[in-house]
Amino acid sequence: MTFWTWMSSPIGDLRLVAGGGALRRVHLIERRSDPTPAAYGSERDDEPVLQQARRELEEYFVGARRRFDVPLGAEGSEFQRAVWAALMAVEFGAICSYGDIARAMGRPTATRAVGGANNKNPIPIIVPCHRVVGSDRSLVGFGGGLERKRWLLAHEARLVGAVFPGYDPPRC
């Protein structure tokens, strides 16, 4: 069974979806009135994984957490899951390009495929796809919109003692 709940955040409302004892999705929502797909099951605030995810995200947004411990259960192809695992290795406050991720995976010619997998990441923020930028360090694609991506990168930059924009973060 799957369950979901809402939480408010500095970048808007988030819908958290869990099933099988793991967090499955984080949706960046424009309006809470947007329909919730029936496949997400019922709304439950008391589901332990959802409570943990909410607590950890709240800690992240106030600057008290840099890594997440909530169990993850993202569904995707073997390649997508490998990309998402590589994203988890990108340090808080750092950025990298699709090419950097491809090279880190030992697949240097898979830059476009990495971009596609990054785009399909169902657990943004926790699986930090927002830390991926263009090869020229420009802000590129983010399912939640570039303003949210800009906010997340600026938030992390402030916490590592830098200023954004103009921030020259470490590369992965």
Side-chain angles (χ1 to χ4, degrees):
M1 290 202 68
T2 58
F3 305 101
W4 61 273
T5 192
W6 294 107
M7 72 172 281
S8 296
S9 81
I11 60 170
D13 290 331
L14 306 177
R15 182 188 303 124
L16 311 177
V17 181
L23 185 66
R24 302 270 182 199
R25 295 186 169 278
V26 173
H27 288 272
L28 295 96
I29 303 297
E30 293 299 321
R31 296 171 306 280
R32 284 195 183 195
S33 61
D34 289 348
T36 300
Y40 294 164
S42 58
E43 185 173 10
R44 295 250 321 250
D45 288 331
D46 62 344
E47 182 65 24
V49 170
L50 294 174
Q51 290 175 338
Q52 180 181 357
R54 178 194 307 257
R55 182 181 68 254
E56 291 182 11
L57 283 162
E58 287 169 346
E59 291 167 355
Y60 169 85
F61 285 120
V62 298
R65 177 173 289 274
R66 294 181 179 207
R67 296 193 77 75
F68 295 88
D69 300 314
V70 64
L72 303 179
E75 294 179 7
S77 70
E78 184 177 334
F79 182 79
Q80 288 171 326
R81 290 190 314 273
V83 169
W84 302 333
L87 292 173
M88 297 294 287
V90 180
E91 293 294 323
F92 183 95
I95 59 169
C96 61
S97 69
Y98 300 117
D100 293 330
I101 294 289
R103 284 186 293 281
M105 294 174 60
R107 304 273 306 268
T109 61
T111 300
R112 291 181 71 139
V114 165
N118 195 57
N119 182 51
K120 299 290 186 195
N121 172 20
I123 310 177
I125 306 167
I126 293 173
V127 177
C129 55
H130 62 278
R131 296 180 189 151
V132 180
V133 297
S135 59
D136 63 355
R137 297 183 142 199
S138 61
L139 291 185
V140 294
F142 183 64
L146 291 182
E147 283 306 310
R148 286 177 171 149
K149 181 173 187 157
R150 186 174 288 112
W151 189 96
L152 292 166
L153 291 173
H155 171 66
E156 293 182 9
R158 280 190 303 276
L159 293 170
V160 297
V163 178
F164 188 85
Y167 169 47
D168 190 25
R171 297 292 294 247
C172 62

